[in-house]
Amino acid sequence: MSADKKKRILFLPAWYPTRNDNMGGIFVRAFGWAMLEKAKVHVLHVAGERNLKNLFEYVVTYDKGLETHIVYYRKPLQKNIFTVFFEGLMYGFATFLGYFKYRSKHERPDVFHVFVLTRTAVLPYVLSLFIKTKYYITEVWSRYLPEDNTFNGNFRKWLTRKIVRRSSGISTVSVSLKNALIKHNLNHSNFKVIHSVVPSSFFKTELIPHNKNGVIKFLHVSCFDDYIKNISGMLNAFKIVEDEGFEFELELIGNGADFEEMVAHAKKLNLMRTTFSGKLTGDDLFKAFERSDALVLFSNFETQGCVILEAQASGMPVIGSNTGGIPELISKDGGLLVAPGNELDLADAIKSIIINYCNYDRRQIRDKAIANYSFENIAAKFLKFYNTEVEK
């Protein structure tokens, strides 16, 4: 057995699928699946839950070989300055309780891997003050980007910088996010850009040849947060295209706070051949990618956009906003970039896809995705990341 195969890695994610939210942090679970072939990976996650019978509940689950330890704590019913402080204490206690229970069953990890700062890194940071501890950080949160700009609070900034400096390395999913972190004085000598991994099922979707005389079917997948994803602006652009006599189909997948509002907005526009499918998972989601021709993501800001990688793995060209990490993913032969918030620009891109769709090579788009986002490729990058020696 190789040295890498023996490496014990404990993921500490801020977001992860739970019994109340099976979609939260699914990218972390995908990273875990990718690493299972190369190392021994476990997950320790802490989640708040209102109306929990006891103060804490410890659960161990297994998903395709990935062992996950989840500590649920009772979340306050109301939010104010006192309950926020109390919840912080509950989260901290639950984290150390979970690690104590985890260690009663497993050896000490060789590597702690934190996903999303800051509170998830407190455990390995505290441990590192007393014993030799290697912990690495992967950041995906858009709060550091100037378009979002929600990384604030003097104590948070101070603690985050100390945690980053003491770590063995940090990675982001895009160059754009890396540059944003550096501007916040969150730099490191071992700073990598490692894209999200795409589950292998997306690479298995059938590349159905497009009928030259058929109607192009566009796809949008998101959490339905209009402030970030600008779904209303996207619908307005499709209405412009429809009013100019172009035919198309549009399917929107996902759920979230603004779902009903977006459904109402589409009805108000009287958009034809537009379907809201809600949240889809598993085979239902993969079939939606199979039956679609192109993806549209008209975000106001975005650290990367995992759905772009999934669309490319399915052989789809992508229309994306020229913001954040999106431009790093879309080449001229793989789609089009539009100015964020510019509905006329988006309408022109939609028309261009309809007119020139047959110029896109779906097989070439997929092959490029396999080379960059497959389990094997991403796992190799993380192992190299872990094995990079740094001076502290």
PDB file of all heavy atoms in Angstrom, residues 46-59:
ATOM      1  N   VAL A  46     -20.464  20.011  11.819  1.00  0.00           N
ATOM      2  CA  VAL A  46     -21.330  20.503  12.897  1.00  0.00           C
ATOM      3  C   VAL A  46     -22.467  21.299  12.281  1.00  0.00           C
ATOM      4  O   VAL A  46     -22.231  22.175  11.439  1.00  0.00           O
ATOM      5  CB  VAL A  46     -20.534  21.375  13.888  1.00  0.00           C
ATOM      6  CG1 VAL A  46     -21.470  21.966  14.940  1.00  0.00           C
ATOM      7  CG2 VAL A  46     -19.435  20.555  14.553  1.00  0.00           C
ATOM      8  N   ALA A  47     -23.702  20.993  12.692  1.00  0.00           N
ATOM      9  CA  ALA A  47     -24.866  21.659  12.102  1.00  0.00           C
ATOM     10  C   ALA A  47     -25.885  22.019  13.168  1.00  0.00           C
ATOM     11  O   ALA A  47     -26.175  21.216  14.066  1.00  0.00           O
ATOM     12  CB  ALA A  47     -25.517  20.763  11.051  1.00  0.00           C
ATOM     13  N   GLY A  48     -26.430  23.225  13.089  1.00  0.00           N
ATOM     14  CA  GLY A  48     -27.483  23.642  13.995  1.00  0.00           C
ATOM     15  C   GLY A  48     -28.837  23.143  13.529  1.00  0.00           C
ATOM     16  O   GLY A  48     -29.099  23.064  12.327  1.00  0.00           O
ATOM     17  N   GLU A  49     -29.690  22.799  14.487  1.00  0.00           N
ATOM     18  CA  GLU A  49     -31.033  22.306  14.145  1.00  0.00           C
ATOM     19  C   GLU A  49     -32.027  22.786  15.193  1.00  0.00           C
ATOM     20  O   GLU A  49     -31.881  22.494  16.385  1.00  0.00           O
ATOM     21  CB  GLU A  49     -31.030  20.779  14.068  1.00  0.00           C
ATOM     22  CG  GLU A  49     -32.365  20.183  13.625  1.00  0.00           C
ATOM     23  CD  GLU A  49     -32.298  18.667  13.501  1.00  0.00           C
ATOM     24  OE1 GLU A  49     -31.589  18.188  12.589  1.00  0.00           O
ATOM     25  OE2 GLU A  49     -32.943  17.976  14.312  1.00  0.00           O
ATOM     26  N   ARG A  50     -33.003  23.542  14.756  1.00  0.00           N
ATOM     27  CA  ARG A  50     -34.033  24.010  15.677  1.00  0.00           C
ATOM     28  C   ARG A  50     -34.920  22.844  16.119  1.00  0.00           C
ATOM     29  O   ARG A  50     -35.109  21.881  15.386  1.00  0.00           O
ATOM     30  CB  ARG A  50     -34.890  25.100  15.026  1.00  0.00           C
ATOM     31  CG  ARG A  50     -34.122  26.406  14.782  1.00  0.00           C
ATOM     32  CD  ARG A  50     -35.035  27.481  14.221  1.00  0.00           C
ATOM     33  NE  ARG A  50     -34.367  28.767  14.143  1.00  0.00           N
ATOM     34  CZ  ARG A  50     -33.631  29.175  13.128  1.00  0.00           C
ATOM     35  NH1 ARG A  50     -33.474  28.376  12.074  1.00  0.00           N
ATOM     36  NH2 ARG A  50     -33.051  30.360  13.134  1.00  0.00           N
ATOM     37  N   ASN A  51     -35.455  22.952  17.321  1.00  0.00           N
ATOM     38  CA  ASN A  51     -36.366  21.948  17.874  1.00  0.00           C
ATOM     39  C   ASN A  51     -35.701  20.586  18.086  1.00  0.00           C
ATOM     40  O   ASN A  51     -36.376  19.552  18.107  1.00  0.00           O
ATOM     41  CB  ASN A  51     -37.605  21.786  16.977  1.00  0.00           C
ATOM     42  CG  ASN A  51     -38.387  23.079  16.832  1.00  0.00           C
ATOM     43  OD1 ASN A  51     -38.607  23.791  17.813  1.00  0.00           O
ATOM     44  ND2 ASN A  51     -38.794  23.393  15.603  1.00  0.00           N
ATOM     45  N   LEU A  52     -34.367  20.571  18.207  1.00  0.00           N
ATOM     46  CA  LEU A  52     -33.670  19.331  18.522  1.00  0.00           C
ATOM     47  C   LEU A  52     -34.058  18.908  19.941  1.00  0.00           C
ATOM     48  O   LEU A  52     -34.080  19.733  20.857  1.00  0.00           O
ATOM     49  CB  LEU A  52     -32.158  19.542  18.419  1.00  0.00           C
ATOM     50  CG  LEU A  52     -31.273  18.291  18.438  1.00  0.00           C
ATOM     51  CD1 LEU A  52     -31.500  17.454  17.191  1.00  0.00           C
ATOM     52  CD2 LEU A  52     -29.803  18.697  18.518  1.00  0.00           C
ATOM     53  N   LYS A  53     -34.369  17.641  20.149  1.00  0.00           N
ATOM     54  CA  LYS A  53     -34.838  17.165  21.442  1.00  0.00           C
ATOM     55  C   LYS A  53     -33.797  17.370  22.531  1.00  0.00           C
ATOM     56  O   LYS A  53     -34.114  17.845  23.630  1.00  0.00           O
ATOM     57  CB  LYS A  53     -35.221  15.689  21.343  1.00  0.00           C
ATOM     58  CG  LYS A  53     -35.817  15.128  22.629  1.00  0.00           C
ATOM     59  CD  LYS A  53     -36.249  13.686  22.446  1.00  0.00           C
ATOM     60  CE  LYS A  53     -36.854  13.138  23.733  1.00  0.00           C
ATOM     61  NZ  LYS A  53     -37.267  11.712  23.577  1.00  0.00           N
ATOM     62  N   ASN A  54     -32.541  17.002  22.231  1.00  0.00           N
ATOM     63  CA  ASN A  54     -31.451  17.180  23.181  1.00  0.00           C
ATOM     64  C   ASN A  54     -30.566  18.343  22.734  1.00  0.00           C
ATOM     65  O   ASN A  54     -30.692  18.845  21.614  1.00  0.00           O
ATOM     66  CB  ASN A  54     -30.619  15.900  23.286  1.00  0.00           C
ATOM     67  CG  ASN A  54     -31.441  14.721  23.761  1.00  0.00           C
ATOM     68  OD1 ASN A  54     -32.171  14.818  24.750  1.00  0.00           O
ATOM     69  ND2 ASN A  54     -31.323  13.600  23.060  1.00  0.00           N
ATOM     70  N   LEU A  55     -29.640  18.763  23.605  1.00  0.00           N
ATOM     71  CA  LEU A  55     -28.744  19.853  23.224  1.00  0.00           C
ATOM     72  C   LEU A  55     -27.838  19.455  22.063  1.00  0.00           C
ATOM     73  O   LEU A  55     -27.538  20.267  21.195  1.00  0.00           O
ATOM     74  CB  LEU A  55     -27.895  20.272  24.437  1.00  0.00           C
ATOM     75  CG  LEU A  55     -28.578  21.136  25.492  1.00  0.00           C
ATOM     76  CD1 LEU A  55     -27.611  21.399  26.643  1.00  0.00           C
ATOM     77  CD2 LEU A  55     -29.056  22.457  24.884  1.00  0.00           C
ATOM     78  N   PHE A  56     -27.415  18.167  22.077  1.00  0.00           N
ATOM     79  CA  PHE A  56     -26.518  17.673  21.033  1.00  0.00           C
ATOM     80  C   PHE A  56     -26.951  16.282  20.595  1.00  0.00           C
ATOM     81  O   PHE A  56     -27.520  15.525  21.379  1.00  0.00           O
ATOM     82  CB  PHE A  56     -25.067  17.617  21.530  1.00  0.00           C
ATOM     83  CG  PHE A  56     -24.529  18.934  22.000  1.00  0.00           C
ATOM     84  CD1 PHE A  56     -24.518  19.250  23.357  1.00  0.00           C
ATOM     85  CD2 PHE A  56     -24.033  19.868  21.100  1.00  0.00           C
ATOM     86  CE1 PHE A  56     -24.024  20.461  23.809  1.00  0.00           C
ATOM     87  CE2 PHE A  56     -23.548  21.087  21.536  1.00  0.00           C
ATOM     88  CZ  PHE A  56     -23.543  21.388  22.882  1.00  0.00           C
ATOM     89  N   GLU A  57     -26.650  15.979  19.336  1.00  0.00           N
ATOM     90  CA  GLU A  57     -26.898  14.640  18.816  1.00  0.00           C
ATOM     91  C   GLU A  57     -25.758  14.281  17.864  1.00  0.00           C
ATOM     92  O   GLU A  57     -25.427  15.057  16.967  1.00  0.00           O
ATOM     93  CB  GLU A  57     -28.236  14.571  18.077  1.00  0.00           C
ATOM     94  CG  GLU A  57     -28.570  13.173  17.573  1.00  0.00           C
ATOM     95  CD  GLU A  57     -29.919  13.118  16.863  1.00  0.00           C
ATOM     96  OE1 GLU A  57     -30.726  14.058  17.039  1.00  0.00           O
ATOM     97  OE2 GLU A  57     -30.141  12.144  16.114  1.00  0.00           O
ATOM     98  N   TYR A  58     -25.177  13.118  18.079  1.00  0.00           N
ATOM     99  CA  TYR A  58     -24.016  12.674  17.302  1.00  0.00           C
ATOM    100  C   TYR A  58     -24.437  11.536  16.379  1.00  0.00           C
ATOM    101  O   TYR A  58     -25.008  10.534  16.835  1.00  0.00           O
ATOM    102  CB  TYR A  58     -22.916  12.219  18.259  1.00  0.00           C
ATOM    103  CG  TYR A  58     -21.652  11.718  17.603  1.00  0.00           C
ATOM    104  CD1 TYR A  58     -20.762  12.593  16.989  1.00  0.00           C
ATOM    105  CD2 TYR A  58     -21.326  10.364  17.626  1.00  0.00           C
ATOM    106  CE1 TYR A  58     -19.588  12.140  16.412  1.00  0.00           C
ATOM    107  CE2 TYR A  58     -20.154   9.898  17.056  1.00  0.00           C
ATOM    108  CZ  TYR A  58     -19.289  10.783  16.450  1.00  0.00           C
ATOM    109  OH  TYR A  58     -18.130  10.328  15.881  1.00  0.00           O
ATOM    110  N   VAL A  59     -24.186  11.704  15.077  1.00  0.00           N
ATOM    111  CA  VAL A  59     -24.635  10.727  14.074  1.00  0.00           C
ATOM    112  C   VAL A  59     -23.479  10.371  13.159  1.00  0.00           C
ATOM    113  O   VAL A  59     -22.713  11.253  12.742  1.00  0.00           O
ATOM    114  CB  VAL A  59     -25.802  11.299  13.230  1.00  0.00           C
ATOM    115  CG1 VAL A  59     -26.236  10.293  12.173  1.00  0.00           C
ATOM    116  CG2 VAL A  59     -26.970  11.683  14.120  1.00  0.00           C
TER     117      VAL A  59
END
